[in-house]
Amino acid sequence: MPKTSARLLALLSLLQARRDWPGQLLAERLEVSPRTVRRDVDRLRELGYPIAAFKGPDGGYRLDAGARLPPLLFDDDQAVALAVALRTATATGAGIGEAAARALTTVRQVMPARLRHRVDALNVTAVERTGGPPRPQADPRVLLALSDAVRAQEVLRFDHSPAHAPTTAADPPPAVRRVEPHRLVTWGGRWYLVAWDLDREDWRTFRADRITPRTPTGPRFTAREVPGGDVAAFVAARFQGSGSPGAWPCRGEVILDAPASAVAGHVRDGIVEEHGPDRCRVVLGAWSWPGLAAGLGRFDVDIEVVGPDELRDAFADLARRFAAAAGQGHGGFPEPGAP
């Protein structure tokens, strides 16, 4: 590669690594004169790279966003990371699977052979969870509109369709919501908007695939702090059915005849602690007591219920149901609440 071309690539790599570069520092890093840096910057501008100059004691250059996308320069690790991200884009719920596949083809074509081999060896297939209805995909244009409103801190108006389709034509249309958008988050393969609902005066989470934004957006607002200050913890708590982190409607404690190391990887929102040799204490929550009992039964080990009594009753009720399903009747099992 000619020396000038190699130097241009090195200059472009430096400009992408940080926002502002003093001209003298660029010259030192490239081991050339400031005049040569100026000429190289002009050459990159001719190739379509929007490089702006800034004045001051340490005047220099920055790589700005332009009207069109010029050629990009990635190091090896960045190129592989980009390829892996594009391969798994179908599992993000953002409705960009086809665009991601085309982008991956474009990136792969310009990769050197050594990187193509690495990317092809990482033949990742994103498999979505089965056993339920197809998961709706969020429209990328809607995600961009929501993201713009969050960044600009502008009141957002949108139609929010119900979870289930109207049963009759007389059902009212979706209500127009007015919110202060706070953050766009993804959870379990779906996208959600966390926002302060102006009409209900409370925090809400809205599924992005049910949102139809209205234009124009409203006035600017001063951002509020999400309860607890952590948007991830706030969203997790909402999906657990309570406004306080970790609070499920039903929560119980048991001792399992299994080591904590074998149980911890299968308990997502609970607490697992060692409790003697090959035993562990588990505190776990669920939407219902039968659901909690059934979830604990999946470990296929002996269980000692610490409490509460509702969990004991749920185990007894499940025992009768399972015995009946096995054709053994109801005999031999205590009634709920019995010692």
Side-chain angles (χ1 to χ4, degrees):
M1 179 182 293
K3 185 176 180 181
T4 300
S5 300
R7 192 176 64 246
L8 288 178
L9 289 176
L11 173 59
L12 180 58
S13 179
L14 291 173
L15 290 172
Q16 290 180 161
R18 57 185 275 185
R19 177 167 175 79
D20 293 333
W21 276 96
Q24 183 61 40
L25 182 57
L26 278 176
E28 294 174 0
R29 293 290 294 271
L30 296 172
E31 299 180 350
V32 296
S33 67
R35 181 179 178 182
T36 299
V37 171
R38 289 194 296 271
R39 288 201 302 264
D40 288 347
V41 166
D42 289 337
R43 292 189 180 99
L44 288 177
R45 286 169 175 163
E46 293 173 358
L47 294 173
Y49 293 96
I51 301 175
F54 58 90
K55 299 181 179 179
D58 296 324
Y61 306 94
R62 71 168 60 98
L63 183 63
D64 286 340
R68 62 187 180 91
L69 187 65
L72 301 177
L73 180 66
F74 298 104
D75 61 32
D76 289 6
D77 290 339
Q78 289 175 327
V80 173
L82 178 61
V84 172
L86 291 172
R87 284 189 186 276
T88 58
T90 56
T92 64
I96 58 173
E98 182 181 350
R102 289 189 284 108
L104 178 59
T105 300
T106 301
V107 171
R108 187 185 178 281
Q109 286 176 344
V110 297
M111 282 183 174
R114 68 179 189 280
L115 290 187
R116 283 201 303 271
H117 294 326
R118 291 180 63 186
V119 169
D120 293 342
L122 281 169
N123 192 12
V124 181
T125 300
V127 180
E128 297 191 43
R129 184 175 55 187
T130 59
R135 183 167 294 167
Q137 298 286 298
D139 189 330
R141 293 169 296 182
V142 171
L143 295 179
L144 288 175
L146 300 181
S147 179
D148 288 342
V150 170
R151 184 179 64 254
Q153 294 185 1
E154 294 176 343
V155 171
L156 187 64
R157 300 181 306 121
F158 57 85
D159 298 319
H160 192 250
S161 60
H164 304 286
T167 55
T168 67
D171 288 341
V176 177
R177 312 299 287 265
R178 298 186 313 117
V179 304
E180 295 176 355
H182 178 76
R183 191 75 62 84
L184 194 62
V185 301
T186 178
W187 173 279
R190 286 196 176 101
W191 289 82
Y192 296 86
L193 176 68
V194 179
W196 174 263
D197 193 311
L198 292 169
D199 297 319
R200 292 157 179 79
E201 296 186 346
D202 195 9
W203 288 93
R204 292 288 190 272
T205 56
F206 303 93
R207 271 180 45 180
D209 59 277
R210 296 178 185 165
I211 291 178
T212 304
R214 292 196 174 200
T215 55
T217 54
R220 295 178 63 88
F221 61 88
T222 301
R224 307 169 188 262
E225 184 176 1
V226 71
D230 186 341
V231 68
F234 172 77
V235 172
R238 283 298 173 103
F239 286 105
Q240 293 175 356
S242 173
S244 58
W248 288 93
C250 305
R251 196 168 182 84
E253 179 180 346
V254 299
I255 305 297
L256 298 181
D257 280 349
S261 59
V263 174
H266 304 282
V267 176
R268 179 180 179 184
D269 296 318
I271 299 172
V272 181
E273 297 176 347
E274 292 285 355
H275 191 77
D278 295 328
R279 304 186 81 201
C280 65
R281 169 180 171 266
V282 178
V283 179
L284 194 60
W287 288 106
S288 67
W289 293 112
L292 178 57
L296 291 166
R298 66 192 169 96
F299 290 104
D300 195 25
V301 297
D302 289 341
I303 303 172
E304 176 189 337
V305 178
V306 178
D309 290 337
E310 290 86 350
L311 182 56
R312 292 190 179 89
D313 294 343
F315 273 113
D317 190 41
L318 286 179
R320 283 191 301 275
R321 293 181 185 177
F322 291 161
Q328 298 179 10
H330 297 275
F333 295 101
E335 293 295 325

